[in-house]
Amino acid sequence: MDKKFIRFYRDKKILILGAAGTIGRGLIEKFLALKVAQLTLVDNDETGIFYLLEEYKSENIFSFTGDVRDREKIEKLAKGIDIIIHLAAYKHVVVSEHNPFDVVQTNIIGLENIIRAATACNVKYILFASSDKAVNPTNVMGASKLMGENLITAANI
């Protein structure tokens, strides 16, 4: 692993939103190996959070159910955090096409909530996971991810 990468994350307090998903679960192991100061794991999947609680019993790992749609909760969880990793999203094209209002609430308004929470809590970095579907989007999910990229760029975090 690159030394700059290790130095960047070591001893940091990290909030992972969408932690019970495939990417979130993979990052947990990486961050534990890097000796981060604290991991705060959040997902709206109660069962996923339950399994994370069972698997990771450590004094520097905290797991919560929560949703990016809940600005107050995100702001409470962001206090004292150095880095937010935002993985929570509607990511399946077909599901997104059938639920466009939910996609907007989660992928766009949810990201706005994260940006506002990060700003209010002086979080230095947000890592936002986009999608290849954001390039010349032809569907709701891709358009929401492109909007997310624009929001992150505008926030300059």
Side-chain angles (χ1 to χ4, degrees):
M1 230 182 280
D2 181 32
K3 288 180 183 179
K4 285 183 183 180
F5 179 83
I6 293 168
R7 279 196 308 271
F8 181 78
Y9 287 104
R10 181 162 282 154
D11 298 323
K12 297 289 192 312
K13 293 181 179 179
I14 300 171
L15 170 62
I16 302 177
L17 301 163
T22 306
I23 296 171
R25 292 184 65 80
L27 286 176
I28 294 166
E29 291 293 329
K30 299 283 186 205
F31 289 136
L32 289 175
L34 294 175
K35 298 186 181 0
V36 298
Q38 175 183 311
L39 278 178
T40 301
L41 311 174
V42 180
D43 206 291
N44 67 359
D45 175 7
E46 177 194 3
T47 302
I49 285 296
F50 171 78
Y51 287 126
L52 289 175
L53 281 168
E54 289 294 302
E55 189 171 347
Y56 300 104
K57 296 181 182 188
S58 171
E59 54 190 61
N60 69 335
I61 297 180
F62 304 93
S63 298
F64 300 93
T65 56
D67 198 300
V68 296
R69 297 177 183 201
D70 184 348
R71 184 185 299 175
E72 263 183 54
K73 183 151 192 178
I74 298 304
E75 191 167 321
K76 285 178 186 173
L77 293 169
K79 287 188 175 136
I81 294 294
D82 299 304
I83 302 166
I84 295 175
I85 298 178
H86 172 42
L87 306 170
Y90 270 74
K91 61 185 184 227
H92 298 287
V93 171
V94 174
V95 174
S96 296
E97 290 300 307
H98 292 285
N99 299 280
F101 294 104
D102 291 306
V103 173
V104 168
Q105 286 297 311
T106 299
N107 292 8
I108 298 173
I109 305 301
L111 178 56
E112 178 190 8
N113 290 341
I114 293 164
I115 291 168
R116 290 186 186 279
T119 301
C121 296
N122 297 310
V123 175
K124 292 187 176 164
Y125 301 98
I126 297 174
L127 179 82
F128 167 67
S130 188
S131 168
D132 61 337
K133 308 291 187 286
V135 179
N136 299 318
T138 59
N139 53 60
V140 171
M141 191 279 286
S144 73
K145 287 299 197 169
L146 177 59
M147 185 66 191
E149 290 178 7
N150 291 332
L151 288 170
I152 285 290
T153 301
N156 197 23
I157 294 180

